Amino acid sequence: MKRFRNLVIFYTVFMLLALGAFIIYINKFHLNLTPGSYNESEMEVYKKVWSDINSGMDIYRSGINKCALIFWAALLLLGYALLFLVYYFDIKPVKDIKDYADEIARGNLDIPLDVNRRSIFVDFNESFDIMREELKGSKLREMEAENKKREMLAELSHDLKTPVATIQATCEVLELQKKKKREKLEQEGTSDLKEIDGELEKIGYISQKTETINELVKNLLRANLDDMEEIEVNIIENSSVYIEDYFRSMKEYGNVILDNHIPECLVYIDKLRIKQVIDNIVGNSYKYAGTDIHVRFDEVQSASDNRSGVDNFIKITVRDAGPGVPESDLPLIIEKYYRGKDVKDKTGYGLGLYLVKWYMEKMGGGMEYYNDNGFVVELMVKKT
């Protein structure tokens, strides 16, 4: 591009110099009067003829100058036209490719390359644009694969929370049973306690390793959720009975009491996400309240923008009889990683209710929570 600009400047200067030299040459051309041996009357005639010749020369010189100027201007314009054609068909495509390559280097793969069919670089341009499309597709596939991987790790690490907590609770029960048995044996005067001490040591080892797993999973979950734009939620029509059956299967969370049956209908849910939602809510009540957990199902309506003006929902109310959540913590417990002041001795990630609210909204429903002689969570599951 710089060379072409220098060529245009050189051509312009050359043409101006050529014009100046031609004008100087033409204007320097004069006829000189060389008087001979003429008498006075002949000299007068000679001067008159000479004056007419000079007048003719001036007219001729003026005509030559006009023709030369017109020819020079036409030649200048023709040269500029040729230079423009060279620029448009040969140099501009190279400049466009350079600018295009700079955009690709910056990661901008959405701008297509304009292909001039009359350019000698048409095949190259098409190949370059195909390369851009391939790079864009490759980048999208890479991003999708990376998001899938992060999503899978986030789901796996979060779902490991329940079995890890179950192992920890089992270790605590076994340790308590073994300690009571050891005390009883000591009271009976049994001297050989090596076997039961060995069992207690193994239980403590399992409990210690479980706590290590819990911390590793916590770090993994935090790293992936911080870096992940969105967790996938696949909503399909399912029978509402699936939700009731899952509540009935939750034996590891103490006494989960269903106050009534869920109305049989079709609802919009993601089976995996609704299980995570229920696990989080019931698991929190079991961990922090330690009381019976009551579940009630109701059919409700809510205002909507659709043609009927309303949306139909199944409201699931999960209630415990614990101390509830401190009023100062209540607005904050749905924030990512937030944990209340009174739960420092409990294991957790501070993600449970954050994910519950996020999943429910993605499934077209919602979530509300409040204190009412215990902690209450209401889930709104959208009906079809």
Side-chain angles (χ1 to χ4, degrees):
M1 189 63 191
K2 186 176 180 180
R3 290 183 178 180
F4 180 77
R5 184 169 60 249
N6 292 337
L7 178 62
V8 173
I9 294 173
F10 174 79
Y11 175 73
T12 303
V13 172
F14 173 78
M15 291 298 293
L16 289 173
L17 290 175
L19 177 64
F22 181 80
I23 291 174
I24 291 172
Y25 174 76
I26 290 297
N27 289 332
K28 284 179 66 176
F29 182 75
H30 293 285
L31 294 175
N32 295 319
L33 176 63
T34 308
S37 53
Y38 300 103
N39 57 32
E40 216 173 289
S41 60
E42 290 175 338
M43 183 60 70
E44 287 298 325
V45 173
Y46 184 82
K47 287 181 179 180
K48 185 177 179 182
V49 171
W50 182 256
S51 177
D52 292 340
I53 292 173
N54 274 336
S55 297
M57 281 298 296
D58 289 339
I59 294 171
Y60 175 74
R61 189 183 297 111
S62 176
I64 289 291
N65 284 337
K66 288 181 181 179
C67 291
L69 189 60
I70 293 171
F71 177 76
W72 177 86
L75 189 62
L76 181 68
L77 292 177
L78 179 61
Y80 280 147
L82 290 174
L83 289 172
F84 173 78
L85 292 175
V86 170
Y87 172 80
Y88 184 78
F89 289 107
D90 295 336
I91 296 177
K92 185 176 180 296
V94 176
K95 181 179 179 297
D96 291 342
I97 291 173
K98 177 186 176 299
D99 295 341
Y100 192 67
D102 291 340
E103 290 294 329
I104 290 178
R106 287 192 287 266
N108 187 1
L109 301 175
D110 295 323
I111 302 176
L113 179 62
D114 293 331
V115 178
N116 187 345
R117 297 293 174 183
R118 287 169 291 185
S119 170
I120 61 173
F121 298 101
V122 59
D123 294 333
F124 182 76
N125 289 2
E126 289 178 347
S127 299
F128 210 84
D129 203 46
I130 291 172
M131 181 191 73
R132 176 192 67 84
E133 291 289 346
E134 290 296 323
L135 284 173
K136 182 179 178 181
S138 177
K139 186 177 181 180
L140 290 175
R141 288 191 296 270
E142 181 182 354
M143 291 174 60
E144 184 178 354
E146 186 67 19
N147 284 335
K148 289 286 185 183
K149 183 190 74 173
R150 290 172 181 165
E151 181 182 329
M152 180 188 69
L153 288 173
E155 291 173 5
L156 179 61
S157 55
H158 192 268
D159 289 343
L160 280 173
K161 180 180 70 172
T162 299
V164 169
T166 303
I167 294 171
Q168 285 180 318
T170 303
C171 287
E172 291 173 3
V173 172
L174 287 174
E175 186 178 17
L176 184 61
Q177 290 175 348
K178 294 299 179 182
K179 284 182 178 180
K180 287 183 178 179
K181 184 177 180 181
R182 192 180 191 283
E183 291 175 0
K184 184 178 179 181
L185 291 174
E186 282 182 339
Q187 291 173 359
E188 292 175 354
T190 303
S191 59
D192 189 8
L193 300 174
K194 290 184 179 180
E195 183 179 350
I196 195 166
D197 285 341
E199 291 176 353
L200 281 170
E201 184 180 355
K202 291 176 182 177
I203 293 171
Y205 180 77
I206 294 172
S207 180
Q208 181 183 1
K209 292 301 180 183
T210 304
E211 182 60 33
T212 301
I213 294 173
N214 188 54
E215 287 299 317
L216 291 173
V217 170
K218 179 179 179 180
N219 292 337
L220 179 63
L221 179 61
R222 178 184 289 268
N224 279 283
L225 279 181
D226 278 344
D227 208 21
M228 187 167 52
E229 294 181 0
E230 188 171 295
I231 303 173
E232 186 177 0
V233 177
N234 297 313
I235 306 170
I236 58 174
E237 293 183 357
N238 283 281
S239 172
S240 60
V241 177
Y242 175 82
I243 297 175
E244 180 176 337
D245 290 342
Y246 191 71
F247 272 108
R248 292 188 184 278
S249 69
M250 305 184 77
K251 306 298 183 183
E252 72 271 22
Y253 291 124
N255 195 17
V256 180
I257 303 168
L258 273 61
D259 294 340
N260 62 344
H261 292 290
I262 193 169
E264 292 191 24
C265 60
L266 292 176
V267 290
Y268 292 115
I269 59 171
D270 180 325
K271 284 187 175 182
L272 174 61
R273 304 309 176 195
I274 199 69
K275 285 168 64 176
Q276 288 179 289
V277 165
I278 295 170
D279 275 333
N280 272 305
I281 295 172
V282 176
N284 282 346
S285 290
Y286 174 73
K287 180 165 57 175
Y288 299 120
T291 67
D292 291 346
I293 301 169
H294 286 263
V295 181
R296 179 176 178 81
F297 306 103
D298 296 287
E299 293 185 84
V300 297
Q301 290 185 332
S302 177
S304 171
D305 294 331
N306 60 31
R307 283 182 293 179
S308 64
V310 294
D311 282 331
N312 297 309
F313 295 90
I314 298 292
K315 183 171 75 171
I316 306 170
T317 305
V318 182
R319 178 188 300 270
D320 63 49
V325 177
E327 292 298 322
S328 60
D329 290 336
L330 203 58
L332 303 173
I333 59 175
I334 57 171
E335 298 296 325
K336 190 189 292 187
Y337 307 127
Y338 182 81
R339 302 194 71 217
K341 304 178 184 65
D342 60 344
V343 298
K344 299 303 182 184
D345 59 332
K346 304 286 188 181
T347 60
Y349 310 135
L351 284 166
L353 291 181
Y354 167 80
L355 288 175
V356 167
K357 182 176 178 61
W358 198 90
Y359 287 146
M360 293 307 299
E361 288 177 352
K362 285 294 181 180
M363 289 187 287
M367 184 268 279
E368 297 292 337
Y369 61 93
Y370 51 88
N371 289 323
D372 182 17
N373 296 319
F375 188 62
V376 183
V377 177
E378 295 178 351
L379 303 175
M380 304 290 283
V381 180
K382 190 173 182 181
K383 295 171 63 177
T384 62

